[in-house]
């Protein structure tokens, strides 16, 4: 079993919240594991168990050069006793960055494919060529979202039902975490996903499809905010960087620049616009991924 540390809920104190009469809590899932943090722990939990049950020795997955998923999968595979293979988008750049150095140090075999080849990452014929090269492996898709991952997130959502809140907020990349939370909460509260992708209208249909494929009921109590992506995945602005730095100074903990920073920015913008009812409580999920700062060392 992948080690898990129970995580606290921390209340945010800020004059904007006081003026708006809105309470903001953060579920600190970034603290659930030193390396497999946040939603990655829940996404990998049942995938690792299934890989072991089916007798696989190796796990293969895809990601970018600074991927939280690559980082977490390498750590989880090592802890579970699996070999791991990380197929990275783009050309090799030496020396390895902090993410890929960590993955390699945890035993992951890091290999590279072109951006054109990367478009075929879920194609069965392409996966067969990888099996000829690496042998049999248990496949986990980019970002970790599949039926077993959504099952794990749903379990997390079920646990959250014991907490009192009116809105649940989470950053969104593939849509798997949002879908799992909607399913696990079983209609409790309004669930808001803050997309980190530019042009992410497709996610509305994607979340519905994930819910259906995962045998979860769509309670219709969710929505997507697609305006706070700051230019797209992996993009960061000076304004966002200043917000994240101020937040850390005031609250005493960090947000990552790819996911939770954009979500928290969006939450505060929506509070200022009056999108949250007075007297309501927001619970935001810190999905971890703080290693993502490695790609922004020269930012600012």
């Amino acid at each position: 079993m992948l080690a898990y540390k129970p995580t606290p809920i921390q209340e945010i104190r800020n004059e904007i919240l006081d003026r708006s009469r809105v309470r903001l809590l953060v579920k600190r899932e970034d603290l659930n594991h030193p390396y497999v943090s946040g939603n990655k722990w829940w996404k990998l939990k049942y995938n690792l168990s299934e890989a072991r049950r089916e007798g696989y020795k190796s796990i293969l997955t895809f990601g970018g050069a600074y991927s939280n998923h690559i980082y977490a999968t390498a750590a989880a595979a090592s802890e579970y006793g699996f070999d791991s293979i990380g197929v990275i988008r783009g050309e090799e750049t030496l020396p390895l960055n902090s993410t890929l150095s960590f993955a390699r140090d945890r035993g992951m075999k890091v290999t590279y494919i072109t951006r054109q080849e990367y478009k075929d990452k879920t194609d069965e014929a392409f996966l067969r060529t990888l099996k000829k090269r690496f042998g049999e492996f248990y496949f986990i898709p980019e970002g970790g979202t599949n039926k077993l991952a959504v099952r794990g997130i749903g379990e997390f959502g079920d646990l959250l039902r014991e907490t009192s809140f009116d809105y649940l907020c989470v950053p969104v990349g593939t849509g798997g975490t949002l879908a799992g939370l909607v399913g696990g909460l079983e209609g409790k509260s309004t669930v808001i996903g803050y997309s980190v992708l530019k042009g992410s209208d497709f996610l509305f249909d994607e979340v519905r499809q994930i819910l259906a494929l995962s045998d979860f009921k769509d309670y219709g109590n969710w929505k997507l905010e697609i305006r706070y992506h700051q230019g797209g995945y992996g993009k960061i602005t000076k304004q966002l960087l200043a917000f994240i730095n101020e937040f850390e100074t005031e609250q005493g903990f960090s947000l990552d620049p790819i996911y939770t920073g954009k979500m928290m920015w969006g939450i505060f913008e929506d509070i200022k616009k009056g999108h949250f009812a007075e007297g309501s409580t927001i619970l935001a999920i810190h999905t971890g991924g703080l290693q993502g700062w490695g790609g922004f060392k020269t930012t600012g």
Side-chain angles (χ1 to χ4, degrees), residues 35-55:
Y35 306 116
V36 192
S37 65
N39 60 335
K40 299 304 181 188
W41 191 95
W42 296 96
K43 282 186 169 185
L44 289 169
K45 174 183 178 180
Y46 288 112
N47 275 290
L48 293 170
S49 296
E50 183 65 13
R52 175 167 289 175
R53 188 187 71 80
E54 294 183 8

Side-chain angles (χ1 to χ4, degrees), residues 11-45:
E11 183 158 8
I12 303 303
R13 305 291 185 181
N14 183 279
E15 61 180 13
I16 294 172
L17 299 170
D18 293 338
R19 289 198 303 267
S20 303
R21 296 184 60 213
V22 172
R23 191 179 183 209
L24 176 57
L25 311 174
V26 177
K27 176 65 169 169
R28 295 289 308 278
E29 280 300 287
D30 57 309
L31 301 176
N32 65 14
H33 190 283
Y35 306 116
V36 192
S37 65
N39 60 335
K40 299 304 181 188
W41 191 95
W42 296 96
K43 282 186 169 185
L44 289 169
K45 174 183 178 180

Side-chain angles (χ1 to χ4, degrees), residues 179 203-213 218 222:
L203 281 171
F204 290 93
D205 287 335
E206 188 73 13
V207 172
R208 294 186 187 100
Q209 291 174 12
I210 293 171
L211 282 166
L213 291 172
D218 186 347
W222 60 276

Side-chain angles (χ1 to χ4, degrees), residues 119-194:
K119 295 178 181 179
D120 297 326
K121 59 185 177 293
T122 59
D123 183 77
E124 287 296 329
F126 182 62
L127 291 174
R128 283 196 295 270
T129 67
L130 293 176
K131 288 183 179 180
K132 289 180 180 178
R133 180 178 174 186
F134 296 111
E136 288 296 320
F137 54 75
Y138 182 86
F139 171 59
I140 300 177
E142 179 186 38
T145 292
N146 58 15
K147 186 172 182 177
L148 288 173
V150 179
R151 175 186 170 191
I153 296 292
E155 185 177 286
F156 176 49
D158 182 59
L159 293 175
L160 292 176
R161 288 163 60 192
E162 301 174 2
T163 303
S164 178
F165 54 86
D166 302 291
Y167 304 93
L168 181 71
C169 296
V170 63
V172 174
T174 61
T177 299
L178 175 60
L181 289 172
V182 170
L185 286 169
E186 296 185 351
K188 174 184 170 72
S189 83
T190 298
V191 186
I192 307 173
Y194 285 83

Side-chain angles (χ1 to χ4, degrees), residues 169-171 194 259-268 284-286:
C169 296
V170 63
Y194 285 83
Y259 289 99
T260 56
K262 293 180 180 181
M263 172 193 67
M264 195 61 69
W265 165 272
I267 290 172
F268 271 95
I285 307 300
H286 195 314

